[in-house]
Amino acid sequence: MGRPPCCDKVGVKKGPWTPEEDIILVSYIQEHGPGNWRSVPTNTGLLRCSKSCRLRWTNYLRPGIKRGNFTDHEERMIIHLQALLGNRWAAIASYLPQRTDNDIKNYWNTHLKKKLKKLQTGVDGNNRDGFSGSQKISKGQWERRLQTDIHMARKALCEALSLEHPSDLSDLKASNGSYNSCMRPIQTSTYASSTENISRLLQGWMKNSPKSSKTTSETTQNSSNNNIVSPEALESLFGDVSQSVSHDETVNFSQEISSFQFESKPILGSEEAPLSLLEKWLLDEGAQEHEEDDLMEASLRDTAELF
DNA sequence: AAGGGACTCAACCGCTTCGAA
DNA sequence: GTTCGAAGCGGTTGAGTCCCT
């Protein structure tokens, strides 16, 4: 019954990945595509378990990952989304396709938590229990705020859907649902060349610096712009709205198409929507300036109160 | 220059969910 | 319907680096 075990624990290597291992993994994925991680160690000869390979790819080697400092914009999105979704890093990461959930999680734990804590103590003295004190927002108020957020999200979705181009739907179906953020057929060549870049960069890196793979990862970043939203995240935000809208419609409400059509955020593929409208909703300071800022402020305050 | 505490982030661990047998 | 492994996810750890004294 069941399947054969993923990997035997004996002889499995742990710890930091070497550039050589990275190259092997990248080359393999370039050839076979991601997925079926169980077979990766066997087929590549890597002494890593499948889980480790998947993690290495999704958090580090995957093209389109942006590394380095988070922008103000990203920071605000994370704060707001965290307030809305909680610690669902994968869902949050789907709104920031260039960032991995691991990155966002780390950034939250190392920077934002502190920042919010600071903010809270600055704003509000040293009261730390979330629901008492004159400046605190009651649980009820928080819920109302959440409702407002959801309402705004719905509005954004409706607007988005009204902009739909029906022709997109056929593309979705043609795409077969893989490696596709915006209903376009897979562009294997884009993928291949991107991965080639990684390999090349890795090789170049090896020549230049025999040290940590950190540098390598930095070189692998590119400026792809996957404006995509996972269905789970959409569901979290929109709740019943997504039920009242057909899957294809939900998927299609974007106008922005990424140059990279990548997989690892599990395949956003046929179930993604682009970010632009949500971003607008979340962050556009022009459109809904006051309301938006109030909400953001509130989110910041409320989130800070949790610490 | 050296020591040590603080910080960062890649990677691991363990749990949950999903799907194949 | 049940079992079990793969995949995915969030929490945690620890090695490496930075910064201050």
Side-chain angles (χ1 to χ4, degrees), chain A residues 10 170 173 307:
Chain A
V10 192
S170 52
K173 282 166 187 149
F307 302 101

Side-chain angles (χ1 to χ4, degrees), chain A residues 2 9 136 140 160 188 249:
Chain A
K9 301 254 175 182
K136 295 287 174 185
T188 334
E249 286 169 328

Side-chain angles (χ1 to χ4, degrees), chain A residues 44-266:
Chain A
T44 59
L46 285 169
L47 299 174
R48 300 278 181 173
C49 76
S50 56
K51 211 170 171 177
S52 182
C53 294
R54 181 177 59 82
L55 222 60
R56 183 65 182 170
W57 173 256
T58 54
N59 287 340
Y60 207 84
L61 298 172
R62 176 173 60 96
I65 293 178
K66 180 176 161 191
R67 309 196 76 83
N69 293 341
F70 280 69
T71 63
D72 251 20
H73 176 259
E74 289 172 319
E75 196 173 285
R76 284 161 61 93
M77 277 197 81
I78 293 168
I79 291 168
H80 199 178
L81 287 166
Q82 204 280 342
L84 283 171
L85 303 173
N87 294 358
R88 295 176 57 200
W89 307 116
I92 292 172
S94 67
Y95 291 88
L96 297 161
Q98 294 175 304
R99 302 289 187 179
T100 68
D101 53 352
N102 208 30
D103 264 354
I104 293 171
K105 183 170 61 182
N106 281 335
Y107 189 66
W108 174 264
N109 287 329
T110 57
H111 292 89
L112 296 180
K113 249 180 169 174
K114 269 182 238 163
K115 208 168 180 175
L116 291 168
K117 198 171 179 176
K118 216 173 176 180
L119 183 81
Q120 190 231 343
T121 50
V123 162
D124 180 342
N126 43 16
N127 190 339
R128 291 182 50 85
D129 81 299
F131 301 108
S132 60
S134 59
Q135 301 224 8
K136 295 287 174 185
I137 297 173
S138 71
K139 197 174 180 179
Q141 281 175 305
W142 168 241
E143 282 166 2
R144 276 198 300 281
R145 189 155 283 135
L146 250 179
Q147 292 288 340
T148 313
D149 282 349
I150 291 165
H151 174 73
M152 289 171 70
R154 287 178 179 177
K155 214 169 118 187
L157 178 62
C158 290
E159 283 167 14
L161 290 173
S162 70
L163 296 171
E164 289 282 312
H165 299 298
S167 59
D168 290 339
L169 297 173
S170 52
D171 283 340
L172 166 64
K173 282 166 187 149
S175 77
N176 200 24
S178 39
Y179 312 158
N180 183 341
S181 69
C182 293
M183 322 319 113
R184 284 200 172 167
I186 305 163
Q187 298 183 355
T188 334
S189 60
T190 310
Y191 174 75
S193 65
S194 306
T195 324
E196 276 166 17
N197 285 340
I198 293 177
S199 300
R200 207 167 46 236
L201 288 166
L202 281 168
Q203 281 159 7
W205 177 88
M206 276 178 29
K207 282 179 201 147
N208 297 334
S209 150
K211 241 198 86 194
S212 96
S213 54
K214 197 171 214 170
T215 317
T216 309
S217 75
E218 277 158 7
T219 61
T220 60
Q221 67 178 323
N222 63 43
S223 56
S224 81
N225 182 23
N226 294 6
N227 287 336
I228 40 189
V229 173
S230 78
E232 311 93 273
L234 267 181
E235 203 173 291
S236 309
L237 270 178
F238 302 134
D240 52 345
V241 170
S242 51
Q243 289 165 19
S244 65
V245 169
S246 79
H247 177 69
D248 286 350
E249 286 169 328
T250 308
V251 166
N252 263 309
F253 87 103
S254 89
Q255 296 132 333
E256 295 180 353
I257 294 180
S258 64
S259 55
F260 265 121
Q261 312 287 329
F262 266 101
E263 53 279 51
S264 81
K265 293 232 183 133

